Amino acid sequence: MGLEDPSEIYRPKPPQFELDKAAENFRDYENLENDMSRVRDTYYEMHKNQTYQFACSQREKYKPGIVGEYTIMEMMEVVAKIVDESDPDTSLPNNIHMYQTAERIREAYPDHPWFALVGLIHDLGKVLALHGEPQWAVVGDIFVTGCQLGPSVVFGLPRWDYIIKLFVVIAVAVKNIACRGDIRLSQLKAKRFVRTVDGNNLVKNIAYVILLRYRTGLYMIRYHSLYPWHHHGDYDYLCSDTDRAMLPWVQKFSSFDLYSKGEKIPDVAAVKPFYEDLIAKYCPGKLLW
């Protein structure tokens, strides 16, 4: 069964900084080089296996502490072992990508250091790929399970779990887990795991509430890869007023996340002290992952 490529409709507007390549060459899934077959293969496995039932089982499986206790900087070193197999725009270790994102945000918003810190930590949840999960369960664009995919979903396949849509709708209604306050039927994946980690440390790190700007940072972390929602308008019927209010921030962040990818690599040794100070202020010590 073929995989559809709607590249033209899900590239966000680039921010105002110099790109390493033309904007139209980002998220180009139609003209993948031979060595990028990993991208297509990852999405194929994702759409074959990421069902509503799988998403629910993952939410039950991952509780705080399953990975261990790490500081933010310790976890940055851990995810340095990961290269995202779903990403056609970079083959750099994931920690380098996070520094790239953070530094681009810091250049554009020097008076909003919390925003840069969100850029630094946004992909830490990919650590699950080092704890027994295949990359198709952790990386790549996210989408809502249990409902039909729109044309903007990367390499979308027919959803067999959509055949039981009536069951899903009833289950959602009964359990009240439809997207009211957040889009809670999206797969667990890395973004949700980071949100779980951060959320369960809010009590111990009261200052972190300031960083997250009353959930703004959490929304950016959790939904920056939900391209069908934030750059195509899908799933609005699942959204609350809070979701819609957060949408501009998610869109802003996703542009930095995407267009910061390239050959320009920050001097990590030089910028690391800046982020260590932010971490010490907002989320110090070891966190439960």
Side-chain angles (χ1 to χ4, degrees):
M1 186 174 296
L3 299 179
E4 297 181 2
D5 165 45
S7 295
E8 290 299 320
I9 62 176
Y10 49 53
R11 266 191 294 272
K13 181 179 178 181
Q16 298 299 312
F17 58 74
E18 184 178 352
L19 308 183
D20 273 20
K21 59 184 179 182
E24 59 267 22
N25 292 329
F26 284 86
R27 288 177 62 82
D28 184 358
Y29 297 95
E30 187 173 28
N31 300 303
L32 295 176
E33 302 293 338
N34 291 334
D35 63 342
M36 288 293 179
S37 60
R38 60 176 172 82
V39 176
R40 188 179 294 269
D41 293 344
T42 300
Y43 274 102
Y44 178 83
E45 292 299 319
M46 181 192 304
H47 289 299
K48 184 173 69 173
N49 296 294
Q50 283 273 14
T51 63
Y52 172 78
Q53 291 78 9
F54 178 81
C56 289
S57 69
Q58 293 293 84
R59 291 176 63 183
E60 289 299 316
K61 177 179 178 180
Y62 285 102
K63 306 295 184 183
I66 197 168
V67 172
E69 291 191 11
Y70 296 86
T71 66
I72 295 292
M73 280 304 178
E74 286 173 343
M75 188 57 74
M76 289 289 293
E77 294 302 316
V78 173
V79 299
K81 304 172 185 176
I82 299 171
V83 174
D84 190 331
E85 295 175 356
S86 72
D87 197 328
D89 296 309
T90 185
S91 296
L92 294 173
N94 211 79
N95 67 323
I96 298 300
H97 161 61
M98 292 191 290
Y99 274 111
Q100 287 176 320
T101 304
E103 281 296 282
R104 287 297 198 180
I105 293 173
R106 182 155 75 114
E107 291 172 5
Y109 292 90
D111 296 329
H112 294 74
W114 66 271
F115 194 3
L117 184 53
V118 171
L120 184 74
I121 69 175
H122 77 278
D123 271 348
L124 288 179
K126 289 181 182 178
V127 67
L128 294 183
L130 302 175
H131 286 266
E133 294 294 343
Q135 284 217 11
W136 60 257
V138 178
V139 303
D141 285 9
I142 61 176
F143 53 91
V144 178
T145 58
C147 61
Q148 190 173 23
L149 296 185
S152 63
V153 173
V154 174
F155 293 140
L157 288 172
R159 302 299 301 178
W160 300 115
D161 54 333
Y162 179 60
I163 295 175
I164 57 171
K165 179 180 178 181
L166 180 60
F167 166 77
V168 172
V169 170
I170 293 174
V172 168
V174 171
K175 296 181 182 180
N176 193 29
I177 59 174
C179 180
R180 297 301 176 217
D182 53 5
I183 303 173
R184 298 179 66 181
L185 285 184
S186 54
Q187 318 96 293
L188 173 78
K189 302 187 75 172
K191 288 74 183 176
R192 177 167 176 85
F193 184 69
V194 173
R195 186 185 189 282
T196 300
V197 170
D198 298 340
N200 280 282
N201 282 280
L202 287 179
V203 175
K204 292 191 296 181
N205 298 285
I206 302 301
Y208 205 24
V209 177
I210 302 173
L211 163 68
L212 296 173
R213 297 290 295 265
Y214 307 101
R215 295 200 298 173
T216 302
L218 291 178
Y219 262 78
M220 290 189 284
I221 290 172
R222 191 172 181 187
Y223 299 122
H224 69 273
S225 290
L226 186 53
Y227 276 84
W229 173 57
H230 63 64
H231 273 95
H232 190 64
D234 294 347
Y235 307 127
D236 183 72
Y237 65 96
L238 292 175
C239 292
S240 68
D241 291 341
T242 302
D243 298 320
R244 297 185 185 100
M246 293 290 183
L247 180 58
W249 278 105
V250 177
Q251 291 172 325
K252 188 187 304 290
F253 181 86
S254 70
S255 290
F256 284 105
D257 173 51
L258 174 62
Y259 294 115
S260 62
K261 297 171 184 175
E263 299 301 320
K264 183 181 178 181
I265 299 176
D267 183 341
V268 173
V271 302
K272 188 175 180 180
F274 170 80
Y275 293 103
E276 288 177 327
D277 288 344
L278 286 181
I279 291 167
K281 178 179 180 181
Y282 291 119
C283 39
K286 291 186 179 291
L287 306 180
L288 191 63
W289 300 79

